[in-house]
Amino acid sequence: MVIVVGKKGIKLPFVGKDKFADLMKAGLGYDRVTRTFYIQSLDYADRLKATLSEIFKDDIVFAQICLICGKVFPCNECEFFNDCKSNDYPSYCICKSCIEKPKLFNLYADKSKKFIGYR
Amino acid sequence: MSSSYSTAVMWVEKYRPQTLDEVINHEQIVESLKGFLKNPATMPHLLFAGPPGNGKTSVALCLAKELLGSNWRNYTLELNASDERGIQMVRERIKTFARHITGGIGGIPFSLIILDESDQMTAEAQTALRRIMESFSRTSRFILICNYIGKIIEPIQSRCAIFRFSPLKREDVEAYLKRIAKNEGVHVTDTGIEAIVDECNGDLRRAINTLQAASTLSKTVDKKVVLQVVGKAKGEEIREMLKKALKGDFLGSRELMYELMVNYGLSGSDIIRQLHAEVFNLKLPPQAQLELISTIGEYDFRITEGANEDIQLSALIAQIARLSMREGWGKLV
Amino acid sequence: MTTVNSLSQQAVMWVEKYRPQTLDEVIGNEEAKAMLISWLKNWKPGSKPALLYGPPGIGKTTLVHALAKTFSYDLIETNASDIRTAEKILHVAGHAAFEDSLLQHFLGFKGTIILFDEVDGIHGREDAGGLEAIIKIITQAKVPIILTANDVSDPKFRELKNQCLSIQFFRVRPPLIMALLERICEMENVKYEKEALKILAKVSGGDVRSAINDLQAIYERSGKITIEDVKVLSPRDREITIQKALEELFLSDDIERVKRILNEVNVDYEIFLQAIHDNLPYQYKNLEDLASAYDKLSMADIFLGRMKRTQNWSLLKYVIEEMSMGVNLSRKGKYTPIGFKFPPSKLILMARTKLTREVLDKISSLIGKQCHVSRQRAIRDFIPFLRVIFENNPAEAKKFASWFNFTEDLSSYLSGKSRGFIKK
């Protein structure tokens, strides 16, 4: 399993011009400074996943980052996996241990404030 | 029997062979494997195929011990395909394991990865498994264990040395049970042994567990005690489920299905397998049994293809109910 | 929006009462929120407008309101169901768009944001150049402009997208919805079971609005939110209710209608599949029809399985065809409509039996480790025999419990003292 952390710092093996174009079309962006890829858009998330899968010759799972504790985890560990309409694209979420914490909403609101740059 | 397991409470573990020489049956296989012990570098990936409970895991563990020495546990990874949620988990576990192990050091030729129930993996997962095997073959060897070799994709078969474990002979199972009984001070009658062997379908593990359970019920294990154990172990639910379906009580049957899946933790495939066995316990004409088996067989396939086991099983119940209604089997059960 | 405090508690809708007022109260879409805030903070004349797009019910409009309030912006809003023609838009938004709002600056307001809500609701002819007018305004405006839309994949929106900073929104994930429902329960002093809230979160399909409405509907019917209470949700005012959808799917003679059912009902197709499976035997009482319909449902599920394993989403149409048309066409008999159960029993069952399943899981894991078998095999080949021992010989059972490291609850399960069986 290759975990691709959403957003930045994705290192890919050398890809030819065609594959590069495919990747750009599928929503990847390239940062010339760090020489890594990042996910620009998830409009074509499935295509992106399939293209990356071909490149890595491997299965791709996108990483989720727990907003509360910062843990990185894949979607399929979550009890809501089958019912989540937004599953398996790289994003922020709540990991299975944090879900059981009391006053979850307040925890979330606190962390969210910092994250989004609210005051 | 060696003493290292003598504190084990479960007899299946207490009497598991500890060396290749202790393995009964499978003499040819043991001979071939001993050849690898002389020159481990020549050992390819291995594929053990055969019915459940006839020694495949034991042989794999013995091989691990004799190849890897007293610290074999540190260099062996045991996995079950059904325990891991998908091939990605399997790969992760192997990667984590391989990261800490370097084969080829200190007399250890390679690390061993024993993957049981390989035939329960889908073809796609097996394709990914093949890639995994390739990427780790420098430092590890895989021992794949399966029941149905036909379910293993060809690219994997061609990369393994295949060992077919034939079903255990009745006499061997009986002798094994008698030896355990003697050691444990259990008095078991001939009819008792016979009953156990009849019920276990060549699965030595089940046979030993049956014997052990029976021994806790009564000092003397005879046919009656064995049937008691088997009856309790199997439970009436499967038979009831089938009966209700045959009588056209779809909802009643489906409710039992959920009870089995939820309270007893049985998988859809388990239930189908047991339904298959139950068909022959009911007093139905052979033609009826044949049609039922055929329908059950079709859904055995569907369940591996589908996403929801409860939907597939319910569909099966509906087909059985309809068949039975058309043919009038309901009155016979 | 303020709460209406002249009405009784009963009449206040929770979706209104708990509408997020500040940005941190809007759940989900963290990155989108961050982008939007950053856009507004750095906004100056000449900046691109922001286009927020994504499914309905997830809080885009609410977010913009909260944003304006938080950063002290005045908000002018025009909506798809509202003013549509070019002139009207210019008229409403024009003044603010083209004039500096000195007075507003004076009064402490940073300025005005113009919100074009649901721009993809604009249709060609009646809205006489509505889209063009919008593009004209947003390229000339001197104030921040935000647009929202559900689906901008249509090529006609390409020009609009080019002119905007596009920010994608996704359906809110169940854990967050559950957290929100929990908070509402706490603030309303409602007794609840966490597992019940999880079911509501699962069934919501990422639509925050409907999740809160479901919660309130159940509270009003039962006074509390337990797993039992969640069993039957009253019909909700969506485009078409689930009751109606199931009824049409099972009983309609109009096959074209049946084909489109899933597009019109706001339910996730996998949940709908479970709902059909759940209710089928109650509706098609004839075994012939039941078996035929189930054969189709089985096919739908097979396509679903293949689709998920191979990630080949083009198979979805077969899933939907089999579960809708396939089931419907299996009907040969005449039936009267029944009241349908929703959410699907399976979700309820899973919630109720979570403890049992965890116990089984633990037991089979411990057995697996000691005896070199998988959990499945432990369940099949060990647990039935251990149950015999634990039920009949507690003295012996102790030895096994000790060797396997069973805790008290696990031994209880095996001896039958606590099994939490589903009632017959």
Side-chain angles (χ1 to χ4, degrees):
Chain A
M1 160 171 65
V2 179
I3 300 187
V4 179
V5 179
K7 284 319 144 197
K8 341 184 247 281
I10 306 171
K11 293 211 180 82
L12 295 181
F14 176 76
V15 295
K17 237 186 346 173
D18 292 330
K19 263 293 180 299
F20 191 87
D22 283 343
L23 287 172
M24 295 302 120
K25 270 191 239 154
L28 222 53
Y30 184 64
D31 182 339
R32 279 175 225 269
V33 175
T34 59
R35 307 246 203 121
T36 56
F37 292 84
Y38 62 96
I39 298 183
Q40 232 180 136
S41 152
L42 284 159
D43 284 345
Y44 307 102
D46 294 328
R47 208 196 302 176
L48 180 59
K49 215 170 163 198
T51 312
L52 286 171
S53 197
E54 274 172 43
I55 292 174
F56 283 108
K57 296 200 198 309
D58 219 328
D59 297 319
I60 302 291
V61 165
F62 288 119
Q64 313 306 316
I65 302 177
C66 180
L67 267 165
I68 314 259
C69 70
K71 184 166 96 141
V72 175
F73 62 96
C75 268
N76 55 3
E77 278 181 11
C78 172
E79 65 183 296
F80 294 103
F81 183 58
N82 286 319
D83 307 287
C84 178
K85 283 299 98 197
S86 302
N87 67 17
D88 208 21
Y89 65 85
S91 181
Y92 295 85
C93 199
I94 303 182
C95 73
K96 60 184 174 194
S97 13
C98 288
I99 282 180
E100 305 298 335
K101 292 189 177 157
K103 299 255 180 279
L104 180 60
F105 187 84
N106 294 348
L107 283 173
Y108 168 79
D110 283 335
K111 297 284 178 159
S112 170
K113 253 189 245 184
K114 297 194 189 96
F115 179 82
I116 61 182
Y118 168 34
R119 287 270 152 69
Chain B
M1 308 221 170
S2 53
S3 57
S4 55
Y5 276 63
S6 61
T7 53
V9 170
M10 289 299 293
W11 293 346
V12 286
E13 280 312 300
K14 190 169 177 181
Y15 295 95
R16 198 190 274 280
Q18 297 301 306
T19 63
L20 287 173
D21 284 327
E22 287 176 22
V23 174
I24 56 162
N25 291 47
H26 315 308
E27 290 92 0
Q28 278 172 322
I29 295 179
V30 168
E31 278 313 301
S32 306
L33 292 176
K34 279 182 166 177
F36 293 132
L37 290 177
K38 292 205 200 84
N39 197 352
T42 61
M43 189 176 111
H45 300 303
L46 307 178
L47 176 56
F48 292 176
N54 74 345
K56 303 184 292 297
T57 307
S58 291
V59 170
L61 292 174
C62 288
L63 189 60
K65 282 180 206 148
E66 301 196 31
L67 268 173
L68 306 176
S70 49
N71 273 329
W72 66 276
R73 263 183 244 270
N74 293 341
Y75 298 101
T76 307
L77 176 66
E78 275 183 84
L79 291 172
N80 294 290
S82 68
D83 277 348
E84 310 298 331
R85 298 220 268 164
I87 184 66
Q88 292 151 351
M89 292 297 178
V90 171
R91 182 175 3 212
E92 265 319 287
R93 292 201 56 191
I94 295 179
K95 270 168 93 170
T96 315
F97 167 70
R99 215 173 291 154
H100 300 288
I101 305 299
T102 27
I105 291 186
I108 307 291
F110 38 67
S111 57
L112 222 47
I113 297 167
I114 303 177
L115 179 55
D116 199 355
E117 300 175 342
S118 331
D119 49 347
Q120 287 196 33
M121 295 166 67
T122 62
E124 291 98 357
Q126 288 188 37
T127 308
L129 175 64
R130 203 212 69 206
R131 283 201 297 258
I132 300 173
M133 286 167 72
E134 259 165 34
S135 57
F136 287 100
S137 55
R138 207 175 32 88
T139 52
S140 313
R141 290 292 181 276
F142 282 74
I143 302 182
L144 304 179
I145 305 181
C146 69
N147 295 140
Y148 303 106
I149 196 161
K151 285 194 171 176
I152 304 290
I153 63 177
E154 203 281 329
I156 288 187
Q157 286 195 42
S158 64
R159 278 167 176 72
C160 297
I162 299 178
F163 293 90
R164 292 170 197 265
F165 285 65
S166 48
L168 295 172
K169 289 180 266 191
R170 268 190 92 95
E171 312 92 72
D172 290 328
V173 177
E174 284 181 10
Y176 214 93
L177 292 174
K178 284 186 181 155
R179 198 176 348 144
I180 294 180
K182 181 154 171 224
N183 233 41
E184 296 293 326
V186 177
H187 179 233
V188 52
T189 67
D190 285 336
T191 57
I193 292 274
E194 209 183 310
I196 297 179
V197 177
D198 283 339
E199 268 303 318
C200 76
N201 275 329
D203 184 332
L204 186 54
R205 197 162 32 214
R206 279 189 80 91
I208 299 176
N209 283 340
T210 309
L211 178 65
Q212 188 161 19
S215 74
T216 68
L217 282 189
S218 153
K219 277 202 132 21
T220 304
V221 174
D222 61 6
K223 178 169 178 173
K224 206 169 82 177
V225 180
V226 171
L227 288 182
Q228 235 188 318
V229 169
V230 167
K232 283 192 219 273
K234 227 192 311 202
E236 280 302 304
E237 284 82 2
I238 289 273
R239 186 171 304 186
E240 268 311 298
M241 190 182 142
L242 185 55
K243 270 185 167 173
K244 282 189 198 272
L246 288 166
K247 286 194 185 300
D249 178 8
F250 174 87
L251 285 167
S253 184
R254 186 169 80 169
E255 184 169 340
L256 281 174
M257 170 197 89
Y258 274 120
E259 181 159 331
L260 285 165
M261 290 181 83
V262 171
N263 284 324
Y264 290 84
L266 291 181
S267 72
S269 311
D270 285 335
I271 296 180
I272 287 211
R273 215 165 296 139
Q274 293 195 42
L275 277 174
H276 182 116
E278 273 305 314
V279 170
F280 296 106
N281 287 334
L282 296 171
K283 296 184 175 30
L284 291 167
Q287 190 57 30
Q289 292 180 331
L290 219 57
E291 287 210 56
L292 280 174
I293 295 297
S294 166
T295 309
I296 292 175
E298 176 179 346
Y299 277 84
D300 197 350
F301 170 70
R302 286 192 187 206
I303 232 181
T304 57
E305 292 283 303
N308 291 286
E309 292 194 325
D310 58 331
I311 291 183
Q312 296 301 335
L313 270 176
S314 300
L316 171 59
I317 295 174
Q319 306 314 316
I320 293 178
R322 170 167 66 177
L323 254 181
S324 177
M325 178 189 70
R326 282 181 184 166
E327 307 286 337
W329 296 335
K331 309 187 223 52
L332 305 172
V333 293
Chain C
M1 286 240 183
T2 52
T3 55
V4 188
N5 41 25
S6 57
L7 297 177
S8 69
Q9 173 95 359
Q10 205 86 15
V12 171
M13 303 239 346
W14 287 352
V15 278
E16 291 312 316
K17 186 172 179 185
Y18 293 99
R19 188 182 281 277
Q21 298 297 315
T22 56
L23 286 169
D24 54 324
E25 290 178 2
V26 180
I27 57 172
N29 291 289
E30 282 71 27
E31 285 158 305
K33 284 189 300 201
M35 270 174 83
L36 187 59
I37 291 173
S38 159
W39 168 82
L40 187 61
K41 278 186 177 171
N42 297 317
W43 189 91
K44 51 187 192 298
S47 293
K48 281 186 167 182
L51 170 63
L52 317 182
Y53 67 99
I58 57 182
K60 303 189 290 293
T61 313
T62 307
L63 177 61
V64 178
H65 282 268
L67 182 76
K69 183 166 176 189
T70 303
F71 288 98
S72 301
Y73 275 84
D74 210 3
L75 186 65
I76 294 182
E77 184 177 352
T78 166
N79 177 288
S81 63
D82 238 81
I83 305 158
R84 271 295 152 224
T85 61
E87 291 144 1
K88 286 185 183 165
I89 292 175
L90 276 170
H91 178 72
V92 165
H95 293 291
F98 297 113
E99 293 168 17
D100 288 346
S101 358
L102 276 171
L103 188 59
Q104 285 164 333
H105 271 293
F106 211 85
L107 290 175
F109 282 94
K110 283 228 195 81
T112 309
I113 296 178
I114 300 183
L115 168 63
F116 286 101
D117 211 7
E118 296 184 32
V119 291
D120 54 341
I122 296 177
H123 301 287
R125 242 167 295 139
E126 316 104 70
D127 296 303
L131 246 185
E132 286 166 34
I134 287 183
I135 294 181
K136 185 167 166 204
I137 291 184
I138 65 182
T139 50
Q140 295 175 20
K142 295 180 186 164
V143 293
I145 297 194
I146 301 178
L147 308 104
T148 71
N150 292 347
D151 180 3
V152 288
S153 53
D154 191 303
K156 75 178 173 196
F157 294 110
R158 191 150 50 118
E159 181 57 27
L160 184 68
K161 280 204 290 199
N162 283 342
Q163 302 289 347
C164 298
L165 169 67
S166 299
I167 304 179
Q168 189 175 13
F169 281 70
F170 298 89
R171 288 210 168 80
V172 182
R173 290 173 163 180
L176 287 170
I177 296 186
M178 188 210 75
L180 177 61
L181 295 179
E182 194 177 43
R183 176 175 181 251
I184 295 180
C185 285
E186 280 166 7
M187 301 207 56
E188 291 290 318
N189 242 314
V190 172
K191 273 213 180 76
Y192 67 93
E193 284 173 1
K194 200 151 181 170
E195 289 302 314
L197 298 184
K198 285 185 182 175
I199 294 179
L200 290 180
K202 284 178 182 174
V203 179
S204 69
D207 183 327
V208 183
R209 231 181 347 228
S210 27
I212 301 180
N213 280 333
D214 280 343
L215 186 74
Q216 184 163 21
I218 293 173
Y219 170 69
E220 272 162 22
R221 198 188 58 236
S222 321
K224 55 185 169 42
I225 319 282
T226 67
I227 295 173
E228 294 307 311
D229 301 313
V230 162
K231 253 175 21 183
V232 182
L233 285 176
S234 41
R236 189 177 31 256
D237 189 23
R238 288 171 165 173
E239 286 96 315
I240 161 177
T241 67
I242 296 177
Q243 296 285 328
K244 202 90 195 32
L246 284 171
E247 190 178 314
E248 296 208 20
L249 187 145
F250 284 130
L251 302 175
S252 172
D253 289 317
D254 181 354
I255 198 64
E256 288 302 318
R257 179 117 188 85
V258 172
K259 205 170 172 178
R260 293 188 320 263
I261 282 279
L262 263 140
N263 292 336
E264 300 186 7
V265 67
N266 193 8
V267 174
D268 170 53
Y269 58 84
E270 287 200 63
I271 295 200
F272 205 56
L273 179 67
Q274 277 288 332
I276 297 172
H277 151 62
D278 215 18
N279 288 288
L280 192 54
Y282 296 100
Q283 183 63 84
Y284 288 2
K285 293 223 162 273
N286 179 312
L287 281 175
E288 285 285 342
D289 291 352
L290 183 64
S292 302
Y294 251 117
D295 178 46
K296 294 300 178 197
L297 212 61
S298 157
M299 288 310 300
D301 184 64
I302 287 178
F303 280 117
L304 184 64
R306 287 204 193 131
M307 182 178 92
K308 286 174 135 178
R309 271 195 302 273
T310 61
Q311 311 257 305
N312 178 6
W313 311 114
S314 65
L315 292 175
L316 181 59
K317 57 180 175 290
Y318 300 119
V319 177
I320 294 186
E321 268 169 31
E322 294 284 0
M323 76 191 229
S324 58
M325 297 199 308
V327 167
N328 178 280
L329 288 170
S330 308
R331 172 176 54 92
K332 301 279 185 295
K334 276 196 167 353
Y335 306 101
T336 48
I338 60 174
F340 300 105
K341 296 196 286 163
F342 188 82
S345 308
K346 186 163 160 188
L347 283 179
I348 312 290
L349 193 61
M350 286 301 172
R352 259 205 248 124
T353 57
K354 188 171 178 198
L355 230 61
T356 308
R357 286 181 292 121
E358 282 171 0
V359 162
L360 259 177
D361 217 50
K362 279 191 208 134
I363 295 177
S364 55
S365 285
L366 289 168
I367 296 176
K369 279 201 197 72
Q370 288 282 45
C371 300
H372 304 278
V373 288
S374 66
R375 289 202 292 273
Q376 266 305 311
R377 189 129 286 169
I379 289 175
R380 204 190 307 155
D381 293 339
F382 285 77
I383 289 186
F385 299 102
L386 286 177
R387 275 198 284 122
V388 171
I389 298 174
F390 275 67
E391 276 170 23
N392 294 289
N393 197 331
E396 277 296 310
K398 276 209 182 68
K399 298 187 199 154
F400 290 89
S402 164
W403 189 66
F404 280 118
N405 268 319
F406 288 157
T407 50
E408 192 54 49
D409 56 329
L410 304 184
S411 297
S412 279
Y413 171 86
L414 288 171
S415 62
K417 289 204 192 71
S418 69
R419 208 162 289 171
F421 282 122
I422 54 182
K423 43 183 165 51
K424 302 224 185 266

